[in-house]
C-alpha cells in the first residue's frame, strides 16, 4: 500500500489520477511531518503536460472546481 496514493484518494482523486500525481507531480504536494496537508493545485494544473495527459488534466480540473 502506498500512503500518498491513499491520501490522495481520500481527498477524492480516483486511483489512476492519484498514481499519476504521485509518480509525475509529487513536487506539487505539500507535506508536514510526512503527512499530505495540501496540494498546490494551480501549479499542478499549469505544469501538467497537456499533450501527454490531456484527459487526466481535464478530470483534475473538474475535481478541483
Amino acid at each position: 500500500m502506498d500512503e500518498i496514493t491513499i491520501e490522495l484518494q481520500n481527498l477524492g482523486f480516483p486511483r489512476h489520477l492519484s498514481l499519476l500525481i504521485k509518480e509525475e507531480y509529487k513536487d506539487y504536494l505539500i507535506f508536514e511531518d510526512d503527512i499530505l496537508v495540501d496540494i498546490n493545485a494551480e501549479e499542478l494544473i499549469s505544469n501538467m503536460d497537456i499533450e501527454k495527459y490531456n484527459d487526466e488534466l481535464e478530470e483534475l480540473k473538474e475535481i478541483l472546481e
Side-chain angles (χ1 to χ4, degrees):
M1 289 280 182
D2 176 19
E3 290 184 33
I4 295 172
T5 303
I6 292 169
E7 288 185 51
L8 287 167
Q9 288 178 292
N10 288 338
L11 292 173
F13 294 94
R15 180 168 173 72
H16 70 279
L17 200 50
S18 297
L19 289 169
L20 173 65
I21 293 169
K22 183 199 73 140
E23 292 171 8
E24 300 287 332
Y25 299 99
K26 188 176 177 181
D27 292 343
Y28 303 103
L29 303 178
I30 301 166
F31 295 91
E32 286 181 12
D33 299 322
D34 295 326
I35 297 171
L36 178 64
V37 293
D38 203 2
I39 299 171
N40 190 341
E42 267 184 47
E43 289 294 314
L44 174 59
I45 288 171
S46 347
N47 290 292
M48 191 172 264
D49 185 344
I50 192 166
E51 290 181 22
K52 189 173 182 181
Y53 300 117
N54 186 53
D55 292 339
E56 291 83 353
L57 180 58
E58 291 305 314
E59 185 175 9
L60 178 64
K61 287 178 183 178
E62 287 178 24
I63 291 169
L64 294 173
E65 285 183 340

